[in-house]
């Protein structure tokens, strides 16, 4: 049963890796504000027949959590997703996948301050290795150049995006919102749409076309509904710690899909920086207890 359960998080990570490629494919085809809003709008439409009736019935239970659900919607649905679409204009899908793989490490680091988890030698070593790996990646294997030109806009956006999603995970654990997973997700999507509405309204182009409809639907259904469902099932069968390890496959899967679909090339600094960063994440995860 546990072996079969491994396919849940594996498929979830595969979908999210494909979505990193969708982020890149969306550049020039659909505005970041537009796809950010539409992905959650379509997810909202699909979930409403299953969630609205229960939301009305359980309104007195939901209402005390609205402020927290709104903040989680800001972090996970609005900030994280929108920044990833903006970042795709200046960095590769492979690089997006590498930054996404840092989320477990950033979650552990934020837990030190918010959940008061103890600091360990493994966390210190893992964090140092991951930091060095990322510096090697964003500098193209020449760390000294960062003192001259600084960190690129796309890399900075993805670092903020990954940190926002890590904070999302830590606060979800800290607050222990006593709603079903789907009710919690449903209301976070609602608040995410509301928060993205001003950006969407002033977007240069809000049209759904034959070129972008497939990208929007993939982001709105597999990446926003199916993948979270698979991930939740994985956590239920394997536990959160074992499930989180599958996120380490994100850069590898993203790179493979990017090579096939986008014809991205991998340089030596990708291999070195990616391997060092991933090793750091795995050390921090393995020895964070």
């Amino acid at each position: 049963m546990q072996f079969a359960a491994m396919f849940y998080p594996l498929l979830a990570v595969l979908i999210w890796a494909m979505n990193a490629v969708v982020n890149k494919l969306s550049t020039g085809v659909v505005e970041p504000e537009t796809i950010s809003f539409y992905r959650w709008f379509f997810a909202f439409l699909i979930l409403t027949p299953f969630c609205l009736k229960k939301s009305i019935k359980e309104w007195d239970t939901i209402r005390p959590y609205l402020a927290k659900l709104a903040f989680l919607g800001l972090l996970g649905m609005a900030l994280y997703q929108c920044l990833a679409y903006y970042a795709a204009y200046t960095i590769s899908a492979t690089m997006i996948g590498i930054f996404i793989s840092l989320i477990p490490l950033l979650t552990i680091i934020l837990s030190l301050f918010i959940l008061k988890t103890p600091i360990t030698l493994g966390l210190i070593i893992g964090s140092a290795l991951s930091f060095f790996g990322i510096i090697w990646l964003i500098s193209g294997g020449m760390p000294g150049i960062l003192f001259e030109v600084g960190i690129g806009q796309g890399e900075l956006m993805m670092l903020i995006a990954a940190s926002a999603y890590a904070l999302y995970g830590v606060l979800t654990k800290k607050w222990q919102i006593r709603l079903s997973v789907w009710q919690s997700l449903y209301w976070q999507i609602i608040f995410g749409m509301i928060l993205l509405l001003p950006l969407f309204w002033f977007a240069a182009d809000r049209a759904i076309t034959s070129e972008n409809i497939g990208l929007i639907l993939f982001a709105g259904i597999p990446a926003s509904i199916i993948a979270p469902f698979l991930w939740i099932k994985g956590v239920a069968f394997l536990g959160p710690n074992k499930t989180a390890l599958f996120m380490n496959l994100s850069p590898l899967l993203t790179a493979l899909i990017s090579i096939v679909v986008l014809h991205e090339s991998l340089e030596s600094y990708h291999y070195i920086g990616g391997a060092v960063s991933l090793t750091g994440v795995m050390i921090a995860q393995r020895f964070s207890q």
Side-chain angles (χ1 to χ4, degrees), residues 34-55:
T34 302
I35 190 171
S36 295
F37 177 82
Y38 277 138
R39 72 173 290 177
W40 297 119
F41 176 70
F42 281 111
F44 167 75
L45 289 181
I46 291 169
L47 288 177
T48 291
F50 305 99
C51 296
L52 181 58
K53 185 176 180 180
K54 192 172 182 181
S55 288

Side-chain angles (χ1 to χ4, degrees), residues 13 16-17 20 23 80 84 91-109 126-127 129-131 133-134 137 158-159 161-163 165-166 231 243-255 270-285:
V13 173
W16 283 324
N23 289 355
Y80 170 65
I91 63 175
S92 67
T94 299
M95 190 71 80
I96 291 174
I98 290 169
F99 273 97
I100 290 173
S101 72
L102 288 178
I103 291 174
L105 173 62
L106 293 170
T107 300
I108 294 171
I109 293 173
S127 298
L129 280 173
S130 288
F131 178 75
I134 288 296
L137 277 166
M158 277 309 303
L159 183 58
S163 299
Y165 203 74
W231 191 259
T243 304
L245 293 173
F246 284 85
M247 194 61 76
N248 295 326
L249 295 172
S250 174
L252 173 62
L253 293 174
T254 304
H270 284 117
Y271 294 110
I272 297 171
V276 172
S277 178
L278 186 58
T279 300
V281 172
M282 294 178 71
I283 289 174
Q285 283 181 293

Side-chain angles (χ1 to χ4, degrees), residues 16 19 45 52 74-75 79-80 158 185 193 232 238 240 249 267 275 283 288:
W16 283 324
N19 194 57
L45 289 181
L52 181 58
L74 169 66
L75 292 173
L79 192 58
Y80 170 65
M158 277 309 303
L185 178 63
M193 284 195 308
I232 291 164
L238 301 173
L249 295 172
E267 307 295 337
I283 289 174
S288 63

Side-chain angles (χ1 to χ4, degrees), residues 41-278:
F41 176 70
F42 281 111
F44 167 75
L45 289 181
I46 291 169
L47 288 177
T48 291
F50 305 99
C51 296
L52 181 58
K53 185 176 180 180
K54 192 172 182 181
S55 288
I56 295 172
K57 184 179 179 180
E58 299 180 356
W59 175 245
D60 289 339
T61 304
I62 295 170
R63 185 170 53 190
Y65 295 116
L66 289 179
K68 292 177 179 178
L69 291 168
F71 192 66
L72 291 176
L74 169 66
L75 292 173
M77 281 61 185
L79 192 58
Y80 170 65
Q81 302 294 346
C82 201
L83 283 174
Y85 289 121
Y86 278 113
Y89 275 82
T90 55
I91 63 175
S92 67
T94 299
M95 190 71 80
I96 291 174
I98 290 169
F99 273 97
I100 290 173
S101 72
L102 288 178
I103 291 174
L105 173 62
L106 293 170
T107 300
I108 294 171
I109 293 173
L110 289 173
S111 296
L112 294 175
F113 303 98
I114 298 174
L115 302 179
K116 308 300 181 184
T117 57
I119 192 168
T120 65
L121 180 61
L123 177 58
I124 295 172
I125 295 173
S127 298
L129 280 173
S130 288
F131 178 75
F132 177 78
I134 288 296
I135 292 298
W136 192 268
L137 277 166
I138 64 180
S139 66
M142 296 181 289
I145 201 172
L146 295 180
F147 292 103
E148 300 175 20
V149 300
I151 297 175
Q153 188 178 53
E155 288 87 353
L156 183 59
M157 283 183 177
M158 277 309 303
L159 183 58
I160 295 172
S163 299
Y165 203 74
L167 179 58
Y168 170 91
V170 173
L171 291 179
T172 298
K173 184 174 182 179
K174 178 180 174 65
W175 286 338
Q176 294 290 312
I177 295 175
R178 299 187 181 282
L179 299 175
S180 70
V181 172
W182 290 112
Q183 282 298 311
S184 178
L185 178 63
Y186 181 64
W187 280 95
Q188 289 173 48
I189 288 173
I190 290 174
F191 284 116
M193 284 195 308
I194 293 171
L195 292 166
L196 287 166
L197 188 57
L199 287 175
F200 171 74
W201 186 258
F202 290 104
D205 186 0
R206 301 192 298 271
I208 296 178
T209 67
S210 58
E211 286 185 280
N212 64 32
I213 183 64
L215 301 174
I216 292 171
L217 289 176
F218 184 89
I221 301 173
S224 301
I225 297 177
I226 298 175
F229 170 77
L230 293 170
W231 191 259
I232 291 164
K233 293 289 286 185
V235 171
F237 283 114
L238 301 173
N241 293 333
K242 288 183 178 179
T243 304
L245 293 173
F246 284 85
M247 194 61 76
N248 295 326
L249 295 172
S250 174
L252 173 62
L253 293 174
T254 304
L256 292 174
I257 297 169
S258 299
I259 291 170
V260 174
V261 178
L262 302 175
H263 307 293
E264 290 185 359
S265 59
L266 294 181
E267 307 295 337
S268 59
Y269 67 84
H270 284 117
Y271 294 110
I272 297 171
V276 172
S277 178
L278 186 58

